[in-house]
Amino acid sequence: NAGVTQTPKFQVLKTGQSMTLQCAQDMNHEYMSWYRQDPGMGLRLIHYSVGAGITDQGEVPNGYNVSRSTTEDFPLRLLSAAPSQTSVYFCASRTPRGTEAFFGQGTRLTVV
Amino acid sequence: AQKVTQAQTEISVVEKEDVTLDCVYETRDTTYYLFWYKQPPSGELVFLIRRNSFDEQNEISGRYSWNFQKSTSSFNFTITASQVVDSAVYFCALSENNQGGKLIFGQGTELSVKP
């Protein structure tokens, strides 16, 4: 049972480059979300989705785009990478019934 | 507005000591869920416990116990007889009902257990 799969695990980008962080879950969860983790700040919500075709902004959405064309996939796009986006990114999925969120292994992104 | 505060940034204890990690939350919702996650040095997030707002019973799981008190908006986590393997960052998180599954995390407490 794969759970939540994130790719890649590590990535180095140059300022201005774009890329997509992939997230897939095989648990048929309606809710999916992206967080970034920075030292001393916990995890902050970037974008989230309550189902296919529905997305919304979280606390720190600037510089990121998302889409949810299927229940399984929730990619996060960096349009023009900036050093401030250097962080560890986590994707999560859960059901609407208040159960725990299942997290991917994380992507460590460095923007130089 | 919702908020989670973990005032302890770092805690260092010696093995076999008991340690309590504090978590204070703010919410206007009457239905909400509280969580604790562990992040070991390897970086993954490990689910420890979930508690809903209508269940104030304390819970014990082995060396771990949780004290949920709505009167003080706290959900504290105690490790009894700590071990080196407990060294990790611990996050408390809040999820409100009908909010799209969003989790609001505290800043995390880094626990170091020394032999």
Side-chain angles (χ1 to χ4, degrees), chain A residues 24-55:
Chain A
Q25 54 98 1
D26 61 0
M27 297 171 282
N28 203 33
H29 286 168
E30 295 93 328
Y31 291 172
M32 295 186 74
S33 49
W34 277 101
Y35 298 84
R36 59 177 288 172
Q37 181 180 11
D38 302 294
M41 303 188 75
L43 282 80
R44 293 181 293 167
L45 181 66
I46 305 171
H47 286 284
Y48 66 102
S49 169
V50 298
I54 306 170
T55 64

Side-chain angles (χ1 to χ4, degrees), chain A residues 20-22 39 56-57 60 71 83 93 100:
Chain A
T20 299
L21 278 61
Q22 301 292 344
D56 206 345
Q57 297 181 351
V60 288
T71 299
S93 75
E100 74 269 24

Side-chain angles (χ1 to χ4, degrees), chain B residues 6-74:
Chain B
Q6 294 179 255
Q8 304 150 308
T9 305
E10 298 178 7
I11 299 176
S12 182
V13 299
V14 177
E15 208 170 19
K16 298 184 183 176
E17 284 186 27
D18 298 347
V19 57
T20 295
L21 282 59
D22 298 331
C23 173
V24 174
Y25 63 92
E26 296 175 29
T27 178
R28 294 177 185 166
D29 215 342
T30 55
T31 302
Y32 53 89
Y33 304 90
L34 295 165
F35 304 84
W36 276 95
Y37 282 86
K38 174 182 180 180
Q39 187 176 44
S42 50
E44 73 272 23
L45 287 159
V46 178
F47 167 75
L48 295 178
I49 191 172
R50 160 187 172 266
R51 174 66 71 225
N52 73 55
S53 54
F54 299 108
D55 182 3
E56 285 194 74
Q57 278 191 334
N58 292 331
E59 179 152 342
I60 299 174
S61 176
R63 296 184 297 107
Y64 295 171
S65 62
W66 291 269
N67 184 348
F68 177 31
Q69 290 196 336
K70 287 177 74 171
S71 61
T72 55
S73 297
S74 65

